[in-house]
Amino acid sequence: GLADLSAKYYFKNRGRVVAYALGGPGLIWGSDVASNEMTVHLGLGLEIAAGQHLYVRPEVREVALANDLGTADELYSLGIGWRM
């Protein structure tokens, strides 16, 4: 598994589309790694309004082990959110 804790910075609002940058520490665990390992990540994303409350959030992150910053993996995600 992979868990991240991110600080997020929103760039200037451009109407229905808002860009952001994020970064922070994380933790990876499971059968692919010998033990729990700390990670660091940086990423960019967009929040795209798809209605009054609904938004879509495509995002790309670079994730590296904290003790091996020279090797990173790219992760792509597409989130869907609801603003109250």
Side-chain angles (χ1 to χ4, degrees), residues 7 12-13 21 36 43-44 54 57 62 64 67 70 73-74 82:
K12 189 174 180 180
N13 187 336
N36 297 346
L44 295 172
L54 182 69
R57 194 188 74 218
E62 289 284 331
N67 62 359
D73 291 323
E74 280 186 3
W82 186 266

Side-chain angles (χ1 to χ4, degrees), residues 4 6-9 20-24 41-45 59-61:
D4 289 331
S6 300
K8 189 184 273 189
Y9 173 80
Y20 61 87
L22 57 93
H41 66 279
L42 296 173
L44 295 172
E59 186 176 280
V60 61
R61 292 182 187 206

Side-chain angles (χ1 to χ4, degrees), residues 8 10 16-20 44-59 77-83:
K8 189 184 273 189
Y10 286 93
R16 297 180 68 84
V17 178
V18 180
Y20 61 87
L44 295 172
L46 298 172
E47 286 188 7
I48 304 165
Q52 185 176 1
H53 298 284
L54 182 69
Y55 66 91
V56 179
R57 194 188 74 218
E59 186 176 280
S77 65
L78 180 62
I80 298 174
W82 186 266
R83 285 199 178 92

